[in-house]
Amino acid sequence: MATHRFRPTRYFSVIGAAEPCLRVADGDTVVTDTIDASGLDAREIAVGSRPNPMTGPFYIEGAEPGDTLAVHIDRLTPSRATGWTYSPLALTVLEPAAIKDRPSSERHVWEIDGEAGTVRLREPVRGLEDFSPPLQPMIGCFGVAPAGGQALSTATSAQNGGNMDYRLFAPGTTAWFPVSVPGALFYLGDGHACQGDGEIVGTGIETSFEMEVTFRVLKRTISWPRGETADDIFTIGNARPLDQALQHATTEMSRWLGEDYGLDARAASHLMGQVVRYDVGNVFNPAFTVACRIAKRWLTKL
């Protein structure tokens, strides 16, 4: 098991089959840089020019179609002291009658204080002069190449992962992705210094990061992304409308409870019906994201 330090010179705005930037072994760790859309002007963009530039793809030796790639998020460190967001709230989260009253779109700069562990508007708007939420780094967009030779925009998400903007994709979490091509071809980027559920203004606090992740190849098959934290397991559905994303996430959780915890469909329904929690990921971009989450304390005796 080795640690690789990779400095990218090009970035991708799609997730798909491309020449690997680095080949690593099962169990290896990669430390690499990611940039947000504000860093594109002076950088080479390998495919396209829209936001969410991805670093990658990383080829993981031994990963074959039908396997699962487990990606442990070891560390996410902002590499500059500012980030940015937009206001106001997105059209997708407002009642139609309220849209006409929205203020104009504006870009706002945030100060990132790594020592204090907080973020703050550089020019606070009225009423938010003392607003200083915690620094909570997360990965907005990451995943593996999809099946069928597709290349999916980093604006959206699907079974391969992508732009999910789910807050639990943070340090300490292990994310699982279904492998569809040899080597998995893993991409990552879109680091957020902080973000509420849903990415409801169209961005988190976008900034550049140094990211550290560790790969494991699991000889098992999953259909949708999964994840595990110290306290929870969760499954991800990506689709539009929102209820379809919820259906994918719920079905994947039921499968997981059967495969790893020995619960048949009826037992899984009893458990899920009482203790499941649903979290909203991205509700701004073309595909919405729903996470189906269960606390591990309910699974310890299974």
Side-chain angles (χ1 to χ4, degrees):
M1 298 180 183
T3 297
H4 307 267
R5 182 66 175 90
F6 176 74
R7 294 192 179 279
T9 57
R10 61 176 183 167
Y11 301 86
F12 291 80
S13 61
V14 298
I15 296 177
E19 184 66 24
C21 67
L22 183 69
R23 289 176 175 257
V24 303
D26 179 10
D28 281 2
T29 296
V30 168
V31 181
T32 192
D33 301 314
T34 67
I35 59 171
D36 59 286
S38 66
L40 294 180
D41 293 344
R43 312 286 184 127
E44 176 189 354
I45 307 303
V47 181
S49 60
R50 87 161 310 285
N52 290 347
M54 295 288 103
T55 298
F58 297 95
Y59 187 106
I60 294 83
E61 301 286 354
E64 298 293 340
D67 293 344
T68 294
L69 180 67
V71 182
H72 188 265
I73 304 170
D74 301 314
R75 178 173 57 86
L76 303 175
T77 305
S79 53
R80 68 170 193 268
T82 62
W84 54 274
T85 61
Y86 276 97
S87 69
L89 293 172
L91 301 177
T92 51
V93 301
L94 292 173
E95 296 175 349
I99 290 174
K100 62 180 177 61
D101 298 322
R102 290 169 76 241
S104 61
S105 179
E106 291 183 353
R107 190 175 187 270
H108 302 268
V109 175
W110 294 72
E111 305 285 353
I112 300 171
D113 188 334
E115 186 172 327
T118 59
V119 294
R120 181 185 294 272
L121 280 165
R122 174 176 286 177
E123 298 178 359
V125 297
R126 185 170 59 87
L128 296 183
E129 293 84 359
D130 297 322
F131 180 56
S132 184
L135 173 62
Q136 294 180 318
M138 55 167 282
I139 303 178
C141 185
F142 65 148
V144 296
Q150 299 178 85
L152 298 181
S153 168
T154 60
T156 195
S157 56
Q159 288 178 268
N160 66 306
N163 192 35
M164 297 174 286
D165 294 305
Y166 179 44
R167 293 193 310 113
L168 286 192
F169 286 134
T173 295
T174 300
W176 297 6
F177 297 99
V179 175
S180 297
V181 301
L185 296 181
F186 174 80
Y187 297 75
L188 79 171
D190 191 28
H192 298 170
C194 184
Q195 180 206 285
D197 288 339
E199 199 185 42
I200 61 174
V201 297
T203 68
I205 298 180
E206 311 284 333
T207 193
S208 299
F209 272 84
E210 181 176 88
M211 297 188 178
E212 180 178 331
V213 296
T214 298
F215 301 110
R216 292 300 307 270
V217 176
L218 309 179
K219 295 300 179 179
R220 62 180 301 169
T221 299
I222 63 176
S223 297
W224 288 89
R226 300 179 182 183
E228 181 177 2
T229 71
D231 299 319
D232 301 284
I233 64 170
F234 61 86
T235 51
I236 297 289
N238 299 311
R240 193 163 183 167
L242 195 66
D243 60 347
Q244 186 176 347
L246 184 146
Q247 290 162 9
H248 291 318
T250 305
T251 303
E252 187 72 9
M253 179 60 77
S254 182
R255 292 191 190 108
W256 196 353
L257 293 175
E259 294 164 358
D260 287 13
Y261 299 97
L263 300 184
D264 64 18
R266 192 176 303 279
S269 71
H270 281 307
L271 177 69
M272 294 172 68
Q274 308 313 316
V275 302
V276 81
R277 298 291 182 265
Y278 287 107
D279 300 329
V280 176
N282 191 299
V283 291
F284 175 75
N285 292 121
F288 295 159
T289 295
V290 172
C292 179
R293 178 170 53 87
I294 292 178
K296 287 181 176 179
R297 64 190 178 94
W298 301 113
L299 306 173
T300 55
K301 296 182 180 180
L302 298 181

